[in-house]
PDB file of all heavy atoms in Angstrom:
ATOM      1  N   LEU A   1      12.419 -13.132 -13.980  1.00  0.00           N
ATOM      2  CA  LEU A   1      13.050 -11.849 -14.266  1.00  0.00           C
ATOM      3  C   LEU A   1      13.575 -11.278 -12.954  1.00  0.00           C
ATOM      4  O   LEU A   1      12.799 -10.993 -12.041  1.00  0.00           O
ATOM      5  CB  LEU A   1      12.044 -10.875 -14.887  1.00  0.00           C
ATOM      6  CG  LEU A   1      11.259 -11.399 -16.099  1.00  0.00           C
ATOM      7  CD1 LEU A   1      10.200 -10.390 -16.519  1.00  0.00           C
ATOM      8  CD2 LEU A   1      12.203 -11.715 -17.247  1.00  0.00           C
ATOM      9  N   LEU A   2      14.885 -11.104 -12.842  1.00  0.00           N
ATOM     10  CA  LEU A   2      15.525 -10.652 -11.607  1.00  0.00           C
ATOM     11  C   LEU A   2      16.008  -9.212 -11.756  1.00  0.00           C
ATOM     12  O   LEU A   2      16.739  -8.894 -12.692  1.00  0.00           O
ATOM     13  CB  LEU A   2      16.703 -11.566 -11.262  1.00  0.00           C
ATOM     14  CG  LEU A   2      17.589 -11.176 -10.087  1.00  0.00           C
ATOM     15  CD1 LEU A   2      16.808 -11.159  -8.774  1.00  0.00           C
ATOM     16  CD2 LEU A   2      18.782 -12.128  -9.995  1.00  0.00           C
ATOM     17  N   PHE A   3      15.614  -8.368 -10.803  1.00  0.00           N
ATOM     18  CA  PHE A   3      15.985  -6.955 -10.786  1.00  0.00           C
ATOM     19  C   PHE A   3      16.646  -6.620  -9.454  1.00  0.00           C
ATOM     20  O   PHE A   3      16.295  -7.179  -8.416  1.00  0.00           O
ATOM     21  CB  PHE A   3      14.749  -6.066 -10.969  1.00  0.00           C
ATOM     22  CG  PHE A   3      14.083  -6.248 -12.299  1.00  0.00           C
ATOM     23  CD1 PHE A   3      13.159  -7.265 -12.494  1.00  0.00           C
ATOM     24  CD2 PHE A   3      14.381  -5.413 -13.363  1.00  0.00           C
ATOM     25  CE1 PHE A   3      12.545  -7.456 -13.720  1.00  0.00           C
ATOM     26  CE2 PHE A   3      13.773  -5.591 -14.591  1.00  0.00           C
ATOM     27  CZ  PHE A   3      12.852  -6.616 -14.772  1.00  0.00           C
ATOM     28  N   GLY A   4      17.558  -5.648  -9.469  1.00  0.00           N
ATOM     29  CA  GLY A   4      18.304  -5.272  -8.271  1.00  0.00           C
ATOM     30  C   GLY A   4      17.759  -4.052  -7.563  1.00  0.00           C
ATOM     31  O   GLY A   4      16.696  -3.525  -7.897  1.00  0.00           O
ATOM     32  N   ARG A   5      18.520  -3.600  -6.594  1.00  0.00           N
ATOM     33  CA  ARG A   5      18.175  -2.437  -5.776  1.00  0.00           C
ATOM     34  C   ARG A   5      18.086  -1.168  -6.628  1.00  0.00           C
ATOM     35  O   ARG A   5      18.813  -1.015  -7.599  1.00  0.00           O
ATOM     36  CB  ARG A   5      19.257  -2.183  -4.729  1.00  0.00           C
ATOM     37  CG  ARG A   5      19.512  -3.276  -3.784  1.00  0.00           C
ATOM     38  CD  ARG A   5      20.652  -2.829  -2.837  1.00  0.00           C
ATOM     39  NE  ARG A   5      21.154  -3.969  -2.102  1.00  0.00           N
ATOM     40  CZ  ARG A   5      22.362  -4.494  -2.259  1.00  0.00           C
ATOM     41  NH1 ARG A   5      23.210  -3.976  -3.115  1.00  0.00           N
ATOM     42  NH2 ARG A   5      22.728  -5.525  -1.546  1.00  0.00           N
ATOM     43  N   GLU A   6      17.244  -0.257  -6.195  1.00  0.00           N
ATOM     44  CA  GLU A   6      17.126   1.022  -6.893  1.00  0.00           C
ATOM     45  C   GLU A   6      18.443   1.803  -6.860  1.00  0.00           C
ATOM     46  O   GLU A   6      18.815   2.427  -7.848  1.00  0.00           O
ATOM     47  CB  GLU A   6      16.027   1.889  -6.247  1.00  0.00           C
ATOM     48  CG  GLU A   6      14.631   1.394  -6.497  1.00  0.00           C
ATOM     49  CD  GLU A   6      14.098   0.469  -5.415  1.00  0.00           C
ATOM     50  OE1 GLU A   6      14.901  -0.136  -4.659  1.00  0.00           O
ATOM     51  OE2 GLU A   6      12.876   0.338  -5.336  1.00  0.00           O
ATOM     52  N   SER A   7      19.148   1.771  -5.753  1.00  0.00           N
ATOM     53  CA  SER A   7      20.347   2.597  -5.600  1.00  0.00           C
ATOM     54  C   SER A   7      21.593   2.018  -6.253  1.00  0.00           C
ATOM     55  O   SER A   7      22.475   2.762  -6.672  1.00  0.00           O
ATOM     56  CB  SER A   7      20.639   2.839  -4.115  1.00  0.00           C
ATOM     57  OG  SER A   7      20.953   1.605  -3.471  1.00  0.00           O
ATOM     58  N   SER A   8      21.675   0.692  -6.358  1.00  0.00           N
ATOM     59  CA  SER A   8      22.933   0.107  -6.825  1.00  0.00           C
ATOM     60  C   SER A   8      22.774  -1.111  -7.727  1.00  0.00           C
ATOM     61  O   SER A   8      23.777  -1.710  -8.116  1.00  0.00           O
ATOM     62  CB  SER A   8      23.797  -0.270  -5.621  1.00  0.00           C
ATOM     63  OG  SER A   8      23.096  -1.176  -4.780  1.00  0.00           O
ATOM     64  N   GLY A   9      21.563  -1.490  -8.072  1.00  0.00           N
ATOM     65  CA  GLY A   9      21.365  -2.651  -8.933  1.00  0.00           C
ATOM     66  C   GLY A   9      21.716  -3.946  -8.226  1.00  0.00           C
ATOM     67  O   GLY A   9      21.635  -4.049  -6.999  1.00  0.00           O
ATOM     68  N   LEU A  10      22.117  -4.925  -8.995  1.00  0.00           N
ATOM     69  CA  LEU A  10      22.520  -6.216  -8.438  1.00  0.00           C
ATOM     70  C   LEU A  10      24.003  -6.193  -8.113  1.00  0.00           C
ATOM     71  O   LEU A  10      24.815  -5.772  -8.945  1.00  0.00           O
ATOM     72  CB  LEU A  10      22.224  -7.341  -9.431  1.00  0.00           C
ATOM     73  CG  LEU A  10      20.751  -7.622  -9.672  1.00  0.00           C
ATOM     74  CD1 LEU A  10      20.570  -8.489 -10.907  1.00  0.00           C
ATOM     75  CD2 LEU A  10      20.126  -8.271  -8.446  1.00  0.00           C
ATOM     76  N   PRO A  11      24.381  -6.657  -6.949  1.00  0.00           N
ATOM     77  CA  PRO A  11      25.808  -6.677  -6.615  1.00  0.00           C
ATOM     78  C   PRO A  11      26.562  -7.685  -7.484  1.00  0.00           C
ATOM     79  O   PRO A  11      25.972  -8.627  -8.017  1.00  0.00           O
ATOM     80  CB  PRO A  11      25.830  -7.083  -5.139  1.00  0.00           C
ATOM     81  CG  PRO A  11      24.525  -7.707  -4.859  1.00  0.00           C
ATOM     82  CD  PRO A  11      23.545  -7.160  -5.854  1.00  0.00           C
ATOM     83  N   PRO A  12      27.871  -7.505  -7.607  1.00  0.00           N
ATOM     84  CA  PRO A  12      28.672  -8.414  -8.439  1.00  0.00           C
ATOM     85  C   PRO A  12      28.503  -9.886  -8.074  1.00  0.00           C
ATOM     86  O   PRO A  12      28.457 -10.728  -8.969  1.00  0.00           O
ATOM     87  CB  PRO A  12      30.109  -7.935  -8.210  1.00  0.00           C
ATOM     88  CG  PRO A  12      29.974  -6.495  -7.867  1.00  0.00           C
ATOM     89  CD  PRO A  12      28.688  -6.398  -7.085  1.00  0.00           C
ATOM     90  N   TRP A  13      28.379 -10.221  -6.800  1.00  0.00           N
ATOM     91  CA  TRP A  13      28.258 -11.635  -6.431  1.00  0.00           C
ATOM     92  C   TRP A  13      26.982 -12.256  -6.982  1.00  0.00           C
ATOM     93  O   TRP A  13      26.972 -13.439  -7.328  1.00  0.00           O
ATOM     94  CB  TRP A  13      28.384 -11.856  -4.919  1.00  0.00           C
ATOM     95  CG  TRP A  13      27.204 -11.423  -4.095  1.00  0.00           C
ATOM     96  CD1 TRP A  13      27.034 -10.240  -3.439  1.00  0.00           C
ATOM     97  CD2 TRP A  13      26.016 -12.195  -3.818  1.00  0.00           C
ATOM     98  NE1 TRP A  13      25.828 -10.215  -2.785  1.00  0.00           N
ATOM     99  CE2 TRP A  13      25.183 -11.410  -2.998  1.00  0.00           C
ATOM    100  CE3 TRP A  13      25.583 -13.467  -4.187  1.00  0.00           C
ATOM    101  CZ2 TRP A  13      23.940 -11.844  -2.539  1.00  0.00           C
ATOM    102  CZ3 TRP A  13      24.346 -13.906  -3.733  1.00  0.00           C
ATOM    103  CH2 TRP A  13      23.537 -13.103  -2.920  1.00  0.00           C
ATOM    104  N   VAL A  14      25.908 -11.476  -7.124  1.00  0.00           N
ATOM    105  CA  VAL A  14      24.672 -12.000  -7.713  1.00  0.00           C
ATOM    106  C   VAL A  14      24.859 -12.188  -9.214  1.00  0.00           C
ATOM    107  O   VAL A  14      24.508 -13.231  -9.766  1.00  0.00           O
ATOM    108  CB  VAL A  14      23.469 -11.081  -7.420  1.00  0.00           C
ATOM    109  CG1 VAL A  14      22.230 -11.544  -8.195  1.00  0.00           C
ATOM    110  CG2 VAL A  14      23.184 -11.027  -5.921  1.00  0.00           C
ATOM    111  N   ARG A  15      25.431 -11.197  -9.866  1.00  0.00           N
ATOM    112  CA  ARG A  15      25.676 -11.316 -11.314  1.00  0.00           C
ATOM    113  C   ARG A  15      26.614 -12.476 -11.607  1.00  0.00           C
ATOM    114  O   ARG A  15      26.412 -13.219 -12.574  1.00  0.00           O
ATOM    115  CB  ARG A  15      26.239 -10.005 -11.858  1.00  0.00           C
ATOM    116  CG  ARG A  15      25.254  -8.841 -11.755  1.00  0.00           C
ATOM    117  CD  ARG A  15      25.689  -7.622 -12.544  1.00  0.00           C
ATOM    118  NE  ARG A  15      27.058  -7.217 -12.365  1.00  0.00           N
ATOM    119  CZ  ARG A  15      27.496  -6.316 -11.487  1.00  0.00           C
ATOM    120  NH1 ARG A  15      26.638  -5.717 -10.672  1.00  0.00           N
ATOM    121  NH2 ARG A  15      28.782  -5.994 -11.436  1.00  0.00           N
ATOM    122  N   ASP A  16      27.621 -12.670 -10.755  1.00  0.00           N
ATOM    123  CA  ASP A  16      28.556 -13.784 -10.935  1.00  0.00           C
ATOM    124  C   ASP A  16      27.886 -15.126 -10.666  1.00  0.00           C
ATOM    125  O   ASP A  16      28.203 -16.125 -11.311  1.00  0.00           O
ATOM    126  CB  ASP A  16      29.766 -13.622 -10.015  1.00  0.00           C
ATOM    127  CG  ASP A  16      30.636 -12.430 -10.386  1.00  0.00           C
ATOM    128  OD1 ASP A  16      30.473 -11.884 -11.502  1.00  0.00           O
ATOM    129  OD2 ASP A  16      31.463 -12.031  -9.543  1.00  0.00           O
ATOM    130  N   ARG A  17      26.969 -15.155  -9.727  1.00  0.00           N
ATOM    131  CA  ARG A  17      26.246 -16.400  -9.377  1.00  0.00           C
ATOM    132  C   ARG A  17      25.364 -16.847 -10.539  1.00  0.00           C
ATOM    133  O   ARG A  17      25.106 -18.027 -10.724  1.00  0.00           O
ATOM    134  CB  ARG A  17      25.407 -16.150  -8.123  1.00  0.00           C
ATOM    135  CG  ARG A  17      24.350 -17.186  -7.791  1.00  0.00           C
ATOM    136  CD  ARG A  17      24.913 -18.285  -6.935  1.00  0.00           C
ATOM    137  NE  ARG A  17      23.924 -19.096  -6.268  1.00  0.00           N
ATOM    138  CZ  ARG A  17      23.074 -19.937  -6.843  1.00  0.00           C
ATOM    139  NH1 ARG A  17      23.039 -20.059  -8.136  1.00  0.00           N
ATOM    140  NH2 ARG A  17      22.252 -20.674  -6.125  1.00  0.00           N
ATOM    141  N   LEU A  18      24.890 -15.877 -11.324  1.00  0.00           N
ATOM    142  CA  LEU A  18      24.008 -16.133 -12.472  1.00  0.00           C
ATOM    143  C   LEU A  18      24.644 -15.518 -13.720  1.00  0.00           C
ATOM    144  O   LEU A  18      24.206 -14.480 -14.212  1.00  0.00           O
ATOM    145  CB  LEU A  18      22.630 -15.513 -12.208  1.00  0.00           C
ATOM    146  CG  LEU A  18      21.900 -16.043 -10.971  1.00  0.00           C
ATOM    147  CD1 LEU A  18      20.795 -15.095 -10.549  1.00  0.00           C
ATOM    148  CD2 LEU A  18      21.365 -17.434 -11.243  1.00  0.00           C
ATOM    149  N   PRO A  19      25.692 -16.151 -14.259  1.00  0.00           N
ATOM    150  CA  PRO A  19      26.469 -15.514 -15.333  1.00  0.00           C
ATOM    151  C   PRO A  19      25.789 -15.487 -16.699  1.00  0.00           C
ATOM    152  O   PRO A  19      26.231 -14.765 -17.587  1.00  0.00           O
ATOM    153  CB  PRO A  19      27.742 -16.363 -15.381  1.00  0.00           C
ATOM    154  CG  PRO A  19      27.317 -17.710 -14.904  1.00  0.00           C
ATOM    155  CD  PRO A  19      26.251 -17.444 -13.871  1.00  0.00           C
ATOM    156  N   GLU A  20      24.730 -16.247 -16.880  1.00  0.00           N
ATOM    157  CA  GLU A  20      24.063 -16.295 -18.188  1.00  0.00           C
ATOM    158  C   GLU A  20      22.808 -15.436 -18.187  1.00  0.00           C
ATOM    159  O   GLU A  20      22.270 -15.099 -17.151  1.00  0.00           O
ATOM    160  CB  GLU A  20      23.697 -17.745 -18.531  1.00  0.00           C
ATOM    161  CG  GLU A  20      24.916 -18.635 -18.650  1.00  0.00           C
ATOM    162  CD  GLU A  20      24.551 -20.067 -18.970  1.00  0.00           C
ATOM    163  OE1 GLU A  20      23.406 -20.334 -19.349  1.00  0.00           O
ATOM    164  OE2 GLU A  20      25.434 -20.922 -18.827  1.00  0.00           O
ATOM    165  N   ASN A  21      22.331 -15.127 -19.372  1.00  0.00           N
ATOM    166  CA  ASN A  21      21.054 -14.454 -19.569  1.00  0.00           C
ATOM    167  C   ASN A  21      20.989 -13.072 -18.924  1.00  0.00           C
ATOM    168  O   ASN A  21      19.987 -12.698 -18.323  1.00  0.00           O
ATOM    169  CB  ASN A  21      19.900 -15.332 -19.075  1.00  0.00           C
ATOM    170  CG  ASN A  21      19.899 -16.683 -19.732  1.00  0.00           C
ATOM    171  OD1 ASN A  21      20.093 -16.791 -20.943  1.00  0.00           O
ATOM    172  ND2 ASN A  21      19.723 -17.725 -18.951  1.00  0.00           N
ATOM    173  N   HIS A  22      22.052 -12.307 -19.071  1.00  0.00           N
ATOM    174  CA  HIS A  22      22.041 -10.924 -18.616  1.00  0.00           C
ATOM    175  C   HIS A  22      21.428 -10.059 -19.709  1.00  0.00           C
ATOM    176  O   HIS A  22      21.772 -10.201 -20.879  1.00  0.00           O
ATOM    177  CB  HIS A  22      23.453 -10.446 -18.302  1.00  0.00           C
ATOM    178  CG  HIS A  22      24.024 -11.052 -17.072  1.00  0.00           C
ATOM    179  ND1 HIS A  22      25.042 -10.458 -16.370  1.00  0.00           N
ATOM    180  CD2 HIS A  22      23.719 -12.186 -16.389  1.00  0.00           C
ATOM    181  CE1 HIS A  22      25.350 -11.205 -15.316  1.00  0.00           C
ATOM    182  NE2 HIS A  22      24.568 -12.265 -15.320  1.00  0.00           N
ATOM    183  N   ILE A  23      20.529  -9.176 -19.313  1.00  0.00           N
ATOM    184  CA  ILE A  23      19.859  -8.286 -20.268  1.00  0.00           C
ATOM    185  C   ILE A  23      19.874  -6.857 -19.731  1.00  0.00           C
ATOM    186  O   ILE A  23      19.973  -6.637 -18.524  1.00  0.00           O
ATOM    187  CB  ILE A  23      18.406  -8.731 -20.541  1.00  0.00           C
ATOM    188  CG1 ILE A  23      17.627  -8.886 -19.235  1.00  0.00           C
ATOM    189  CG2 ILE A  23      18.383 -10.022 -21.361  1.00  0.00           C
ATOM    190  CD1 ILE A  23      16.142  -9.152 -19.407  1.00  0.00           C
ATOM    191  N   ARG A  24      19.758  -5.923 -20.654  1.00  0.00           N
ATOM    192  CA  ARG A  24      19.717  -4.518 -20.271  1.00  0.00           C
ATOM    193  C   ARG A  24      18.679  -3.797 -21.103  1.00  0.00           C
ATOM    194  O   ARG A  24      18.283  -4.270 -22.176  1.00  0.00           O
ATOM    195  CB  ARG A  24      21.082  -3.856 -20.446  1.00  0.00           C
ATOM    196  CG  ARG A  24      21.547  -3.765 -21.887  1.00  0.00           C
ATOM    197  CD  ARG A  24      22.883  -3.051 -22.086  1.00  0.00           C
ATOM    198  NE  ARG A  24      22.732  -1.648 -21.842  1.00  0.00           N
ATOM    199  CZ  ARG A  24      23.442  -0.935 -20.957  1.00  0.00           C
ATOM    200  NH1 ARG A  24      24.389  -1.508 -20.272  1.00  0.00           N
ATOM    201  NH2 ARG A  24      23.226   0.332 -20.778  1.00  0.00           N
ATOM    202  N   ILE A  25      18.258  -2.654 -20.606  1.00  0.00           N
ATOM    203  CA  ILE A  25      17.368  -1.765 -21.351  1.00  0.00           C
ATOM    204  C   ILE A  25      18.246  -0.679 -21.954  1.00  0.00           C
ATOM    205  O   ILE A  25      18.932   0.037 -21.218  1.00  0.00           O
ATOM    206  CB  ILE A  25      16.298  -1.151 -20.420  1.00  0.00           C
ATOM    207  CG1 ILE A  25      15.436  -2.259 -19.812  1.00  0.00           C
ATOM    208  CG2 ILE A  25      15.442  -0.152 -21.186  1.00  0.00           C
ATOM    209  CD1 ILE A  25      14.505  -1.780 -18.715  1.00  0.00           C
ATOM    210  N   PRO A  26      18.279  -0.559 -23.282  1.00  0.00           N
ATOM    211  CA  PRO A  26      19.111   0.472 -23.904  1.00  0.00           C
ATOM    212  C   PRO A  26      18.681   1.878 -23.470  1.00  0.00           C
ATOM    213  O   PRO A  26      17.481   2.163 -23.342  1.00  0.00           O
ATOM    214  CB  PRO A  26      18.862   0.277 -25.401  1.00  0.00           C
ATOM    215  CG  PRO A  26      18.378  -1.132 -25.526  1.00  0.00           C
ATOM    216  CD  PRO A  26      17.591  -1.390 -24.272  1.00  0.00           C
ATOM    217  N   MET A  27      19.668   2.729 -23.201  1.00  0.00           N
ATOM    218  CA  MET A  27      19.399   4.116 -22.804  1.00  0.00           C
ATOM    219  C   MET A  27      20.643   4.956 -23.031  1.00  0.00           C
ATOM    220  O   MET A  27      21.732   4.415 -23.245  1.00  0.00           O
ATOM    221  CB  MET A  27      18.958   4.171 -21.337  1.00  0.00           C
ATOM    222  CG  MET A  27      20.038   3.745 -20.350  1.00  0.00           C
ATOM    223  SD  MET A  27      19.458   3.648 -18.667  1.00  0.00           S
ATOM    224  CE  MET A  27      19.015   1.929 -18.598  1.00  0.00           C
ATOM    225  N   LEU A  28      20.485   6.230 -22.978  1.00  0.00           N
ATOM    226  CA  LEU A  28      21.632   7.127 -23.080  1.00  0.00           C
ATOM    227  C   LEU A  28      22.505   6.981 -21.837  1.00  0.00           C
ATOM    228  O   LEU A  28      21.990   6.723 -20.748  1.00  0.00           O
ATOM    229  CB  LEU A  28      21.167   8.577 -23.198  1.00  0.00           C
ATOM    230  CG  LEU A  28      20.484   8.960 -24.508  1.00  0.00           C
ATOM    231  CD1 LEU A  28      19.952  10.387 -24.429  1.00  0.00           C
ATOM    232  CD2 LEU A  28      21.440   8.818 -25.681  1.00  0.00           C
ATOM    233  N   PRO A  29      23.800   7.186 -21.970  1.00  0.00           N
ATOM    234  CA  PRO A  29      24.699   7.018 -20.828  1.00  0.00           C
ATOM    235  C   PRO A  29      24.754   8.240 -19.910  1.00  0.00           C
ATOM    236  O   PRO A  29      25.772   8.524 -19.296  1.00  0.00           O
ATOM    237  CB  PRO A  29      26.053   6.765 -21.505  1.00  0.00           C
ATOM    238  CG  PRO A  29      25.972   7.532 -22.775  1.00  0.00           C
ATOM    239  CD  PRO A  29      24.530   7.409 -23.220  1.00  0.00           C
ATOM    240  N   ILE A  30      23.656   8.981 -19.797  1.00  0.00           N
ATOM    241  CA  ILE A  30      23.647  10.181 -18.955  1.00  0.00           C
ATOM    242  C   ILE A  30      23.071   9.913 -17.569  1.00  0.00           C
ATOM    243  O   ILE A  30      23.114  10.787 -16.711  1.00  0.00           O
ATOM    244  CB  ILE A  30      22.860  11.327 -19.631  1.00  0.00           C
ATOM    245  CG1 ILE A  30      21.421  10.890 -19.922  1.00  0.00           C
ATOM    246  CG2 ILE A  30      23.573  11.763 -20.905  1.00  0.00           C
ATOM    247  CD1 ILE A  30      20.537  11.999 -20.438  1.00  0.00           C
ATOM    248  N   GLY A  31      22.531   8.726 -17.363  1.00  0.00           N
ATOM    249  CA  GLY A  31      21.962   8.385 -16.065  1.00  0.00           C
ATOM    250  C   GLY A  31      22.359   6.983 -15.681  1.00  0.00           C
ATOM    251  O   GLY A  31      22.846   6.204 -16.497  1.00  0.00           O
ATOM    252  N   ARG A  32      22.162   6.665 -14.408  1.00  0.00           N
ATOM    253  CA  ARG A  32      22.554   5.343 -13.895  1.00  0.00           C
ATOM    254  C   ARG A  32      21.614   4.255 -14.422  1.00  0.00           C
ATOM    255  O   ARG A  32      22.053   3.208 -14.854  1.00  0.00           O
ATOM    256  CB  ARG A  32      22.559   5.383 -12.365  1.00  0.00           C
ATOM    257  CG  ARG A  32      22.998   4.105 -11.725  1.00  0.00           C
ATOM    258  CD  ARG A  32      23.059   4.212 -10.203  1.00  0.00           C
ATOM    259  NE  ARG A  32      21.768   4.546  -9.637  1.00  0.00           N
ATOM    260  CZ  ARG A  32      21.534   5.631  -8.879  1.00  0.00           C
ATOM    261  NH1 ARG A  32      22.493   6.459  -8.601  1.00  0.00           N
ATOM    262  NH2 ARG A  32      20.329   5.865  -8.411  1.00  0.00           N
ATOM    263  N   SER A  33      20.305   4.506 -14.332  1.00  0.00           N
ATOM    264  CA  SER A  33      19.343   3.498 -14.781  1.00  0.00           C
ATOM    265  C   SER A  33      17.944   4.105 -14.789  1.00  0.00           C
ATOM    266  O   SER A  33      17.725   5.202 -14.266  1.00  0.00           O
ATOM    267  CB  SER A  33      19.365   2.277 -13.846  1.00  0.00           C
ATOM    268  OG  SER A  33      18.956   2.655 -12.546  1.00  0.00           O
ATOM    269  N   LEU A  34      17.015   3.369 -15.341  1.00  0.00           N
ATOM    270  CA  LEU A  34      15.611   3.770 -15.291  1.00  0.00           C
ATOM    271  C   LEU A  34      15.044   3.486 -13.910  1.00  0.00           C
ATOM    272  O   LEU A  34      15.596   2.695 -13.141  1.00  0.00           O
ATOM    273  CB  LEU A  34      14.807   2.979 -16.320  1.00  0.00           C
ATOM    274  CG  LEU A  34      15.060   3.279 -17.783  1.00  0.00           C
ATOM    275  CD1 LEU A  34      14.281   2.307 -18.656  1.00  0.00           C
ATOM    276  CD2 LEU A  34      14.684   4.707 -18.118  1.00  0.00           C
ATOM    277  N   ASN A  35      13.920   4.084 -13.612  1.00  0.00           N
ATOM    278  CA  ASN A  35      13.185   3.778 -12.397  1.00  0.00           C
ATOM    279  C   ASN A  35      12.866   2.286 -12.381  1.00  0.00           C
ATOM    280  O   ASN A  35      12.508   1.705 -13.407  1.00  0.00           O
ATOM    281  CB  ASN A  35      11.900   4.617 -12.365  1.00  0.00           C
ATOM    282  CG  ASN A  35      11.008   4.255 -11.228  1.00  0.00           C
ATOM    283  OD1 ASN A  35      10.259   3.292 -11.329  1.00  0.00           O
ATOM    284  ND2 ASN A  35      11.096   5.000 -10.150  1.00  0.00           N
ATOM    285  N   LEU A  36      12.985   1.656 -11.219  1.00  0.00           N
ATOM    286  CA  LEU A  36      12.801   0.208 -11.110  1.00  0.00           C
ATOM    287  C   LEU A  36      11.427  -0.241 -11.590  1.00  0.00           C
ATOM    288  O   LEU A  36      11.318  -1.224 -12.322  1.00  0.00           O
ATOM    289  CB  LEU A  36      13.036  -0.250  -9.665  1.00  0.00           C
ATOM    290  CG  LEU A  36      12.860  -1.746  -9.407  1.00  0.00           C
ATOM    291  CD1 LEU A  36      13.842  -2.575 -10.225  1.00  0.00           C
ATOM    292  CD2 LEU A  36      13.013  -2.036  -7.912  1.00  0.00           C
ATOM    293  N   SER A  37      10.371   0.452 -11.190  1.00  0.00           N
ATOM    294  CA  SER A  37       9.043  -0.002 -11.610  1.00  0.00           C
ATOM    295  C   SER A  37       8.862   0.126 -13.117  1.00  0.00           C
ATOM    296  O   SER A  37       8.216  -0.712 -13.744  1.00  0.00           O
ATOM    297  CB  SER A  37       7.936   0.729 -10.851  1.00  0.00           C
ATOM    298  OG  SER A  37       7.959   2.109 -11.098  1.00  0.00           O
ATOM    299  N   ASN A  38       9.474   1.156 -13.723  1.00  0.00           N
ATOM    300  CA  ASN A  38       9.427   1.275 -15.185  1.00  0.00           C
ATOM    301  C   ASN A  38      10.203   0.148 -15.845  1.00  0.00           C
ATOM    302  O   ASN A  38       9.753  -0.436 -16.836  1.00  0.00           O
ATOM    303  CB  ASN A  38       9.991   2.622 -15.635  1.00  0.00           C
ATOM    304  CG  ASN A  38       9.110   3.782 -15.237  1.00  0.00           C
ATOM    305  OD1 ASN A  38       7.928   3.621 -14.979  1.00  0.00           O
ATOM    306  ND2 ASN A  38       9.700   4.958 -15.172  1.00  0.00           N
ATOM    307  N   ALA A  39      11.386  -0.158 -15.312  1.00  0.00           N
ATOM    308  CA  ALA A  39      12.213  -1.223 -15.888  1.00  0.00           C
ATOM    309  C   ALA A  39      11.495  -2.568 -15.821  1.00  0.00           C
ATOM    310  O   ALA A  39      11.492  -3.334 -16.791  1.00  0.00           O
ATOM    311  CB  ALA A  39      13.558  -1.297 -15.162  1.00  0.00           C
ATOM    312  N   VAL A  40      10.868  -2.861 -14.692  1.00  0.00           N
ATOM    313  CA  VAL A  40      10.123  -4.117 -14.561  1.00  0.00           C
ATOM    314  C   VAL A  40       9.007  -4.166 -15.586  1.00  0.00           C
ATOM    315  O   VAL A  40       8.824  -5.180 -16.279  1.00  0.00           O
ATOM    316  CB  VAL A  40       9.574  -4.303 -13.134  1.00  0.00           C
ATOM    317  CG1 VAL A  40       8.582  -5.465 -13.073  1.00  0.00           C
ATOM    318  CG2 VAL A  40      10.717  -4.527 -12.142  1.00  0.00           C
ATOM    319  N   ALA A  41       8.259  -3.081 -15.721  1.00  0.00           N
ATOM    320  CA  ALA A  41       7.143  -3.062 -16.672  1.00  0.00           C
ATOM    321  C   ALA A  41       7.624  -3.268 -18.106  1.00  0.00           C
ATOM    322  O   ALA A  41       7.027  -4.036 -18.867  1.00  0.00           O
ATOM    323  CB  ALA A  41       6.364  -1.755 -16.544  1.00  0.00           C
ATOM    324  N   ILE A  42       8.702  -2.620 -18.476  1.00  0.00           N
ATOM    325  CA  ILE A  42       9.230  -2.749 -19.840  1.00  0.00           C
ATOM    326  C   ILE A  42       9.595  -4.199 -20.144  1.00  0.00           C
ATOM    327  O   ILE A  42       9.175  -4.768 -21.156  1.00  0.00           O
ATOM    328  CB  ILE A  42      10.451  -1.825 -20.034  1.00  0.00           C
ATOM    329  CG1 ILE A  42      10.001  -0.364 -20.083  1.00  0.00           C
ATOM    330  CG2 ILE A  42      11.237  -2.198 -21.289  1.00  0.00           C
ATOM    331  CD1 ILE A  42      11.146   0.633 -19.969  1.00  0.00           C
ATOM    332  N   VAL A  43      10.380  -4.810 -19.290  1.00  0.00           N
ATOM    333  CA  VAL A  43      10.864  -6.171 -19.542  1.00  0.00           C
ATOM    334  C   VAL A  43       9.734  -7.187 -19.383  1.00  0.00           C
ATOM    335  O   VAL A  43       9.581  -8.094 -20.216  1.00  0.00           O
ATOM    336  CB  VAL A  43      12.059  -6.511 -18.624  1.00  0.00           C
ATOM    337  CG1 VAL A  43      12.507  -7.954 -18.831  1.00  0.00           C
ATOM    338  CG2 VAL A  43      13.217  -5.556 -18.891  1.00  0.00           C
TER     339      VAL A  43
END
């Protein structure tokens, strides 16, 4: 399970390097993302 930086997530070159098996945590579009430690625990 690969997670990115708190401030900016995974850069495009990492996502492009690993084009398969992208997953997200559903949320309202009012924030950038969940706290990293919460996201890791959920997944």
